[in-house]
Amino acid sequence: MKKHLLIYFLLLFSLKGFATHNRAGEITYESLGNNQYKITIATYTKDSAPADRCRLEINWGDGTSSILNRVNGVVDNSQDCKGTRSGEFVGNDVRKNLYTGTHAYPNAGTYILSFEDMNRNSGISNIPQSVNKPFYVQSELKVAPGVGPNSSPVLTNPPIDDGCLNRRFEHNPGAYDADGDLLTYSLVLCRESGGATIPTTYDPNIVQAPVTIDSLNGDLIWDKPQNIGQYNFAIQITEWRQTGNGGYRQIGYVVRDLQVDIKSCNNNPPVIQPVGPFCVEAGQNLNFNITAIDPDSGPALPPATGTAYDEVTMTAFGGPFEVIFPADSVYARGLQNVTATFNWDAKCEHVRKLPYQVTFKAEDDPSARVTNETKLVDLYTTEIQVVAPAPKNPQATGIKDAIDLSWDKSFCTDASGYKIYRREGTYGFVPSPCETGVPAYTGYKFHGETPHVDSLNFRDTTDLLNGVQYCYMVIAYFADSSESYASIEFCSSKQVESPLITNVDILNTDTQNGGIDIKWTAPPTIDSNTYPPPYSYKLFRADEIDGVNFVEVGNFPTITDTFYNDPALNTQDRGYNYKVEFYSGSPAVLASTSDPASSVFLEVQPSDESNILRFRHFTPWQNDTFVVFRENPTGSGVFDSLDLSFSNTYIDTGLVNGDNYCYKALSIGQYTAPNTPGNLLNNSQIACGSPLDTNAPCPPIAQADTINCEEDELRLSWSLSTDSGCVNDITYFNVYYKPSRDGDFPAQPMFSNITNFYLDISNQSVAGCYAITAVDDAGSDPNGQPNESMISNVICVEACPLIDFPNVFTPNGDGNNDFFTAINYKDVAELNIQVFNRWGTMVYESDSPIDFFENGWDGSDINTGQPCSDGVYYYVAHYTPTAITEVQEQVDKGFVHLFRN
């Protein structure tokens, strides 16, 4: 079959010729289910070229290919093209051609759809020898069980555009994805035979001005073309589908090869005034105006007189025009400026997670003032989000041990189900435009869901406390994970049939004889048929405010006996947790149990000139206010109210480090359910603390002002950080040193107690790395310890090694020049030196730089111990410089004359 097709095409080409014609194109696809896809090849060809293709070959990416007929235009009855159509002339020497076919893929996989056709049109500036290069386009299709059926985006704006020299050029493919997948845009290289890329596509020596694309809305900008000519670029539109964990997975792409014709112009493009973005609720109408203004005017061409203005035409393309129940088409014309209206009745079928993109196109016509002038366009892309309405008429009803929720069916009946969110107490949330779902800042948390649009009830039995008002909001959710607006808040509480603890009040603070008052109320409602009198209580206590190991501490025989003073407790060091059991009948049967309630345990954390107070508690009521008391003076037993705190933390500032301060707190709380106790007052224990500076300063910012390695001179300087939160109570600085970049600085500084903001180092090797720390004044506080900052940025100084040898020495014992050693040396870490006589016998060796530099060679032969004779000796020195990074060994060779007389 393929052989026959090849012969067919050879015959076709021999008839039609190889004249160049391909200007632009792309491949898109549509899922038909069961791994079957409909493929559409779109090409834009030069209408005046003699070459024409009534059929094209598609490579399916699975090793097979097919011949596709052209399907648009009038019927083509020519001999070679029977059964096909002729394509459509769209103006400006452009013919649009569509070729379609279907294909079923046998297996899951990633497939590259492609077609190749001879040839591109001639004279494309950024594709050298374009007349000889085939036109090649590809798209990626993924068949995967976990992805589901997928159709590629369709491109609603043609890929042929005109531009002007030194004028900003804009193009947008107008991509719309019917599946609601996320689309991103990137520039890629054009391709030729076999899919080989064309590296000159964006060559700055040819294209010159940069070509960019907005990765999210697809606006291609060429700012500004510098040369006349035709240019081809390629845009890859990649599809991303959201996964179950909220991430995105790439599921395919379409590549558009587009052509831009840059001409010399005396024209400026119109400018569209920005609008949007917009949000519209399904069932509502979105209507807005958009205006474009053209800056050009001038004398009218004969026979007209006066001032001529460019006529401007406004159109639009994008997703809202491609859906079922589409937006009204946009079209308006006017002189110099034009205002068009966008109108769309949003439906539930339009609801999706990602916004729709609409691109408005304003095109001018300067023909009234300039003959044969190029028309220019401006594009503006805005977003429209369609949101489902909130579920209506939500209700919450408290029953025993549960709260029943209900709401009306979603206006959008294609919803997948509903999500329920809960918090204690109201928030008053009113969503902003386009604020869907229930945001976390409201304090609401996801609590459950019903998995069908007709599931309109939910029973909440999870961790419900007695006397607590629970508030809910419900949203509808959809298959693509989009969410409706949130319903109004609706609240209730479960029916209370158990005691409510109201007080766990610290009477006095002591390690052995502390006391706590515990109070509770009788159950607000009692089912006397199920739980007949007489009634009684048992009180239980657990150590620690979150304790669960309860022990019985009291038995109370009447329903009005709701108070107990719990003595002999260590209220100074720990809090306590209580619960009350309610009993019915004789013999007594457990009817219900209160929710546990703890005392308020006050913790004091010392800080610099302040104490941080934390009020820890676990209660079924809300403690929303704390009155803070401080003993004044300390030890007097007199506590003055200091301030109010509306959170579980309070910072007492302006204190003296080392002084002792004592505190207690009074919590003010209430149950949140209707008709439950409020104004619940409970004291904490007394807790004390001494402010202590434990906050280290911020590290200094270091720099090297002077580096003179040859003279061994270095000046380091530093400054204090200006970041907010840095307390600069600094008394001195430390300088740390390490010989290389590797490893850590030693525990002890090289220089300490520096009160200046600089340090001069001299008369020693300065090679190595340095860091500065700051030390604060906390050591002067009672029982205080100085705090040292983290190290500053590290300053490293490279070594400059030096070793010079003499060429004469006189080992005659006169105390002058008696040893052969280095004249000058510095920054030498390792050394091995050998000296040889003129017969090549080694007479001296040292592998210690310290030994050689301090003692040298005295002229004796290491083999015999006898003095060497006068003469010339040869030395070889292998040494490694001191360096902060790894360096290569160095070699120095030379001659030295030994004279004894």
Side-chain angles (χ1 to χ4, degrees), residues 608-686:
D608 187 17
E609 298 181 353
S610 63
N611 281 323
I612 302 172
L613 280 58
R614 291 187 172 87
F615 317 112
R616 298 181 58 230
H617 54 91
F618 290 93
T619 59
W621 63 84
Q622 286 187 355
N623 288 318
D624 48 24
T625 305
F626 296 88
V627 183
V628 182
F629 297 86
R630 186 173 71 194
E631 190 178 27
N632 186 25
T634 301
S636 66
V638 178
F639 284 82
D640 293 332
S641 61
L642 184 65
D643 205 349
L644 296 178
S645 175
F646 302 101
S647 70
N648 292 325
T649 303
Y650 178 79
I651 302 177
D652 187 16
T653 60
L655 307 180
V656 177
N657 286 344
D659 287 0
N660 192 45
Y661 299 87
C662 294
Y663 306 87
K664 66 177 181 179
L666 174 67
S667 67
I668 304 175
Q670 62 180 357
Y671 283 96
T672 55
N675 304 315
T676 52
N679 198 32
L680 307 180
L681 307 179
N682 291 282
N683 286 287
S684 74
Q685 91 285 11
I686 297 171

Side-chain angles (χ1 to χ4, degrees), residues 563-579:
F563 172 83
Y564 179 70
N565 180 275
D566 197 8
L569 300 175
N570 180 6
T571 54
Q572 177 176 300
D573 299 320
R574 63 165 54 116
Y576 294 91
N577 202 14
Y578 293 87
K579 70 176 182 179

Side-chain angles (χ1 to χ4, degrees), residues 125-181:
S125 299
N126 60 334
I127 302 180
Q129 300 297 316
S130 61
V131 65
N132 297 320
K133 287 185 169 57
F135 184 75
Y136 178 99
V137 173
Q138 67 181 37
S139 292
E140 181 187 80
L141 184 155
K142 285 184 183 291
V143 179
V147 169
N150 176 50
S151 297
S152 74
V154 294
L155 310 185
T156 62
N157 190 29
I160 302 287
D161 259 334
D162 290 336
C164 276
L165 195 66
N166 297 316
R167 301 289 194 274
R168 174 185 171 102
F169 170 80
E170 300 179 8
H171 173 82
N172 189 298
Y176 166 68
D177 191 276
D179 301 320
D181 296 317

Side-chain angles (χ1 to χ4, degrees), residues 245-478:
N245 61 7
Y248 283 87
R249 174 183 179 182
Q250 182 180 331
I251 58 171
Y253 63 75
V254 169
V255 173
R256 156 168 283 189
D257 193 311
L258 72 143
Q259 187 170 93
V260 182
D261 194 357
I262 302 299
K263 303 173 182 178
S264 178
C265 306
N266 185 21
N267 190 22
N268 292 290
V271 178
I272 298 176
Q273 307 302 302
V275 293
F278 299 95
C279 195
V280 59
E281 188 175 291
Q284 302 296 317
N285 172 265
L286 177 64
N287 186 285
F288 62 88
N289 292 333
I290 185 165
T291 298
I293 300 174
D294 192 272
D296 292 322
S297 64
L301 293 176
T305 61
T307 301
Y309 299 97
D310 291 0
E311 186 176 58
V312 181
T313 302
M314 180 85 77
T315 55
F317 53 87
F321 306 101
E322 305 298 323
V323 297
I324 185 174
F325 309 118
D328 296 344
S329 60
V330 173
Y331 182 84
R333 296 176 67 181
L335 290 177
Q336 193 176 24
N337 65 73
V338 62
T339 298
T341 298
F342 177 89
N343 186 73
W344 191 22
D345 289 329
K347 307 290 186 182
C348 288
E349 290 83 354
H350 304 147
V351 171
R352 67 178 198 176
K353 185 176 182 66
L354 296 174
Y356 295 86
Q357 291 184 340
V358 179
T359 300
F360 293 93
K361 179 179 180 180
E363 182 178 53
D364 67 3
D365 182 357
S367 59
R369 59 181 181 83
V370 183
T371 304
N372 298 324
E373 184 58 85
T374 299
K375 299 178 181 180
L376 293 182
V377 303
D378 184 36
L379 300 177
Y380 181 80
T381 301
T382 193
E383 292 185 342
I384 301 173
Q385 182 76 61
V386 181
V387 181
K392 299 296 190 293
N393 195 31
Q395 304 287 331
T397 304
I399 60 175
K400 181 181 179 180
D401 297 327
I403 300 175
D404 281 341
L405 311 178
S406 65
W407 54 89
D408 290 348
K409 185 176 180 178
S410 172
F411 173 79
C412 292
T413 57
D414 56 341
S416 299
Y418 306 90
K419 293 181 180 179
I420 298 95
Y421 292 79
R422 188 183 84 174
R423 61 164 278 153
E424 292 185 21
T426 63
Y427 179 82
F429 174 64
V430 177
S432 301
C434 273
E435 189 175 20
T436 61
V438 180
Y441 67 77
T442 62
Y444 277 89
K445 295 182 179 179
F446 173 74
H447 195 61
E449 66 180 277
T450 62
H452 194 273
V453 70
D454 292 319
S455 299
L456 307 177
N457 299 279
F458 182 84
R459 174 163 288 182
D460 184 13
T461 59
T462 304
D463 299 329
L464 296 174
L465 298 177
N466 292 302
V468 175
Q469 182 190 53
Y470 293 94
C471 292
Y472 303 86
M473 287 193 287
V474 62
I475 64 167
Y477 69 90
F478 296 78

Side-chain angles (χ1 to χ4, degrees), residues 667-821:
S667 67
I668 304 175
Q670 62 180 357
Y671 283 96
T672 55
N675 304 315
T676 52
N679 198 32
L680 307 180
L681 307 179
N682 291 282
N683 286 287
S684 74
Q685 91 285 11
I686 297 171
C688 304
S690 299
L692 184 65
D693 186 357
T694 58
N695 301 320
C698 294
I701 302 170
Q703 64 181 28
D705 292 336
T706 302
I707 301 175
N708 189 331
C709 179
E710 289 79 6
E711 300 297 329
D712 288 328
E713 293 177 348
L714 171 65
R715 167 166 280 202
L716 295 171
S717 67
W718 49 89
S719 59
L720 301 181
S721 174
T722 57
D723 291 347
S724 61
C726 292
V727 179
N728 293 321
D729 53 347
I730 296 167
T731 57
Y732 64 88
F733 301 94
N734 291 330
V735 176
Y736 288 82
Y737 169 82
K738 61 180 181 178
S740 69
R741 295 183 187 272
D742 299 329
D744 299 324
F745 285 98
Q748 297 301 317
M750 182 181 191
F751 302 98
S752 186
N753 294 297
I754 303 169
T755 56
N756 295 319
F757 282 81
Y758 65 90
L759 174 68
D760 291 322
I761 302 174
S762 60
N763 300 321
Q764 66 184 63
S765 174
V766 296
C769 294
Y770 301 83
I772 321 297
T773 64
V775 182
D776 69 9
D777 60 359
S780 61
D781 297 335
N783 301 316
Q785 296 293 325
N787 300 297
E788 187 174 13
S789 73
M790 301 292 288
I791 64 169
S792 68
N793 54 302
V794 177
I795 302 295
C796 290
V797 179
E798 290 286 356
C800 47
L802 170 68
I803 183 168
D804 288 335
F805 295 96
N807 54 16
V808 175
F809 80 113
T810 57
N812 55 13
D814 64 357
N816 184 30
N817 200 26
D818 286 334
F819 299 93
F820 172 63
T821 186

